[in-house]
Amino acid sequence: MNEIKNLEPQVVWKNFHALTQVPRPSGHLEKVQQFLLDWAAAHGIEAFKDGGENIVMRKPATPGMENRKKAVMQAHMDMVPQKTAESRHNFETDPIETYIDGEWVKAKGTTLGSDDGMGVAAIMAVMEDESLEHGPLEALITADEETCMYGVNHLASDTLTGDILLNFDNETMGEFVVGSAGGVNVTASIAYKAVEADPADVAVKVTVKGLRGGHSGLEICENRANANKLMARFLNMAIRENEARLASWKGGNMRNAIPRESEAVVTVPADDVDELQGLVDYCADMFAEEYRGVEEHIVMTMERVDMPAVQVPEEIQDNVLDAIVACHDGVLRYIPSIPHIVETSSNLAIVNVTPERAEVLILARSSSESMMDYVGTMLESCFNMAGMKVEFSGRYGAWQPNFDSQITAQMVEIYKEMFGEEALVQVVHAGLECSLIGEVYPDMDLVSFGPTLRSPHTPDERCHIPSVAKFWDFLKELLRRIPEKA
């Protein structure tokens, strides 16, 4: 028996466990969509899939509470598929293996999927628990939030009828979010004709791994290393000092995750192999010193591999590498009026270089539309100088803070009453679906909250067990006290 099913509140944890058994990486949601529809049918809950691949559920009010404002509970069904180098997990077919470590639930070698599986589990718990008191309820469980926000980008204006949106995608209990950053994907690419490798050379694969990675919004301010940036620095020195030539380079796999691993295959003259190993060791020591106290497990390795027949043309190699070295990565600016919150950043998320094509994907974020334009233009200019084509996609606007939110003010009062603590009303640098939902439903009162999660988008993702019980108790009381319509 899986231990997490026995945790309290069981009505939440049993549903979360059920979700861990259903593969649901972004882009592969057919199984979880069918699971949610089947689950709703088995519990007598109205549910359907809309034109945006979202699952919508509805539950009538407790008798006598029909005149309350209608609350829409919202979470996303997909999860970020990240795993350790040693893991053989297949996110499209295998269940997540969970375990309890003290006060935390974790996964064995993979992301846990509590982002945002815990929000979905809470929705399921509310929908099935007949002991709760509440007004009319809707639920919106969205598709592919982690990759392109497909679900909310295709949300129709007549799908929902609620007055209040309760988004369950925040990751610190006791924090109520009323604003978030927007984002845009910046993709730079160039195609070219491969050149023959020198058969007298030898080939080696250099790997950077062991980095913490993390959420490229919430944890971009923690000065964690980016594996693609470290690899770029190494390659720059290897080409300059050891006559290295680039055959291939692959790093990162999710636009919204700080890259934890990066690997490149290079060719060098046979006489330079030992010197290149020395450079690998030198860089490993240098990076460990630079990131002391932040990254404690940086590993760089080099191993001989089969000699490739072709490689990247030298001029293309130099131009692309120069652009990657030069492009901005990390925090660009903090919000001037809220100086502890990041305003604008970029994440050098994915590098994929083959002998015929190079592609780089960066996720830029900002809570300022003009600064979003600026960081996009800055990145475009950088890669244009390397002769690369730059395209923008998946742009979504910021959720501008509403510090006058009526539901948030009531939540602050309830939280203080229940727990004797002051809640924090906050804006975050993450991208939340509230921004797009608010565009479709401008009269909705929006707020985001949830139990405490740490290190989402990495294999270190974990969910704080006591905070789930606290979140559940708070949610039940909040639903009971949703005000009447004016």
Side-chain angles (χ1 to χ4, degrees):
M1 180 184 295
N2 192 295
E3 290 181 284
I4 70 170
K5 290 193 294 187
N6 300 322
L7 294 171
E8 294 293 341
Q10 286 193 18
V11 69
V12 176
W13 283 106
K14 72 171 184 178
N15 286 319
F16 179 69
H17 167 67
L19 283 168
T20 67
Q21 305 306 293
V22 183
R24 52 189 179 93
S26 301
H28 302 276
L29 302 181
E30 298 84 1
K31 292 178 182 178
V32 72
Q33 288 166 338
Q34 192 59 52
F35 163 78
L36 290 168
L37 291 172
D38 291 345
W39 178 90
H43 289 81
I45 296 164
E46 178 187 353
F48 62 91
K49 183 166 67 173
D50 73 357
E53 301 293 312
N54 308 300
I55 301 300
V56 179
M57 299 182 186
R58 295 192 176 116
K59 185 179 182 181
T62 302
M65 301 179 71
E66 294 84 358
N67 198 40
R68 303 293 180 95
K69 290 183 177 181
K70 182 179 290 187
V72 181
M73 302 175 292
Q74 191 261 316
H76 63 83
M77 68 184 79
D78 59 317
M79 65 174 285
V80 170
Q82 290 274 299
K83 61 183 179 180
T84 62
E86 299 75 22
S87 174
R88 304 179 70 86
H89 185 88
N90 185 331
F91 282 98
E92 295 181 31
T93 59
D94 300 340
I96 300 296
E97 296 183 63
T98 61
Y99 67 98
I100 297 171
D101 182 7
E103 292 190 338
W104 299 89
V105 168
K106 302 179 180 179
K108 296 180 180 178
T110 70
T111 36
L112 174 63
S114 54
D115 174 15
D116 191 21
M118 190 52 67
V120 177
I123 289 172
M124 295 166 69
V126 169
M127 287 293 176
E128 72 169 295
D129 191 340
E130 294 300 327
S131 69
L132 304 184
E133 299 178 27
H134 54 79
L137 297 175
E138 288 183 321
L140 175 66
I141 305 175
T142 52
D144 286 333
E145 185 268 355
E146 298 288 7
T147 52
C148 59
M149 294 197 181
Y150 180 89
V152 290
N153 271 307
H154 293 80
L155 180 64
S157 60
D158 59 355
T159 299
L160 304 175
T161 59
D163 307 291
I164 295 167
L165 184 90
L166 305 177
N167 171 281
F168 297 156
D169 198 17
N170 191 45
E171 291 155 0
T172 299
M173 184 61 200
E175 184 178 276
F176 303 144
V177 173
V178 295
S180 63
V184 64
N185 300 319
V186 184
T187 304
S189 63
I190 186 170
Y192 39 82
K193 185 176 180 180
V195 297
E196 291 186 6
D198 187 341
D201 285 353
V202 297
V204 298
K205 181 172 72 174
V206 177
T207 303
V208 177
K209 61 182 180 179
L211 279 62
R212 296 176 66 187
H215 191 295
S216 70
L218 297 176
E219 293 165 320
I220 199 73
C221 59
E222 296 187 7
N223 297 316
R224 297 181 183 183
N226 180 312
N228 288 331
K229 273 292 189 180
L230 299 190
M231 180 61 78
R233 293 172 62 186
F234 164 79
L235 290 173
N236 182 269
M237 289 184 277
I239 290 169
R240 185 174 65 245
E241 300 173 13
N242 300 104
E243 300 181 55
R245 292 292 304 279
L246 180 62
S248 63
W249 178 6
K250 188 173 181 63
N253 67 349
M254 291 292 293
R255 75 195 230 294
N256 52 6
I258 301 168
R260 299 165 36 251
E261 300 177 1
S262 193
E263 64 180 38
V265 174
V266 298
T267 64
V268 293
D271 292 343
D272 282 342
V273 171
D274 290 342
E275 283 191 24
L276 190 65
Q277 179 65 66
L279 180 61
V280 169
D281 296 339
Y282 168 78
C283 286
D285 291 341
M286 177 176 66
F287 297 152
E289 179 60 30
E290 289 177 353
Y291 288 93
R292 187 178 303 278
V294 179
E295 301 278 1
E296 300 298 338
H297 304 289
I298 297 177
V299 175
M300 286 192 70
T301 61
M302 188 180 93
E303 59 180 311
R304 290 281 292 268
V305 294
D306 293 338
M307 185 69 186
V310 292
Q311 58 194 12
V312 180
E314 187 170 8
E315 182 180 3
I316 297 291
Q317 161 198 279
D318 293 345
N319 289 344
V320 169
L321 182 59
D322 284 347
I324 293 174
V325 169
C327 82
H328 183 271
D329 175 74
V331 176
L332 182 64
R333 196 170 86 146
Y334 285 80
I335 300 176
S337 59
I338 316 175
H340 64 285
I341 301 295
V342 177
E343 177 204 74
T344 306
S345 73
S346 59
N347 176 46
L348 179 62
I350 299 172
V351 173
N352 190 11
V353 179
T354 72
E356 297 85 18
R357 178 179 171 82
E359 184 172 282
V360 179
L361 174 61
I362 299 168
L363 174 57
R365 300 178 187 261
S366 186
S367 52
S368 161
E369 290 298 311
S370 61
M371 287 299 293
M372 179 93 78
D373 292 338
Y374 170 62
V375 70
T377 301
M378 180 171 63
L379 294 167
E380 182 180 28
S381 299
C382 179
F383 286 98
N384 278 346
M385 288 189 287
M388 302 180 76
K389 178 183 178 182
V390 178
E391 298 175 290
F392 299 89
S393 64
R395 180 162 179 161
Y396 56 94
W399 173 23
Q400 295 302 325
N402 176 17
F403 292 107
D404 296 322
S405 163
Q406 294 180 358
I407 189 61
T408 304
Q410 183 179 26
M411 289 166 66
V412 168
E413 292 179 6
I414 294 172
Y415 191 87
K416 178 66 178 293
E417 179 184 312
M418 291 183 68
F419 307 117
E421 303 168 358
E422 295 290 345
L424 177 65
V425 179
Q426 183 69 292
V427 297
V428 294
H429 191 55
L432 293 174
E433 293 167 293
C434 298
S435 62
L436 292 168
I437 295 171
E439 290 179 6
V440 180
Y441 299 96
D443 295 328
M444 266 192 191
D445 197 354
L446 316 171
V447 63
S448 177
F449 62 109
T452 297
L453 316 179
R454 290 294 177 261
S455 298
H457 302 184
T458 79
D460 295 322
E461 180 183 356
R462 54 201 183 274
C463 179
H464 190 232
I465 297 168
S467 74
V468 175
K470 192 173 182 179
F471 167 69
W472 177 242
D473 289 342
F474 176 78
L475 177 59
K476 290 188 294 182
E477 184 64 13
L478 173 63
L479 294 177
R480 189 181 71 84
R481 292 166 60 170
I482 293 291
E484 293 185 356
K485 294 180 180 180

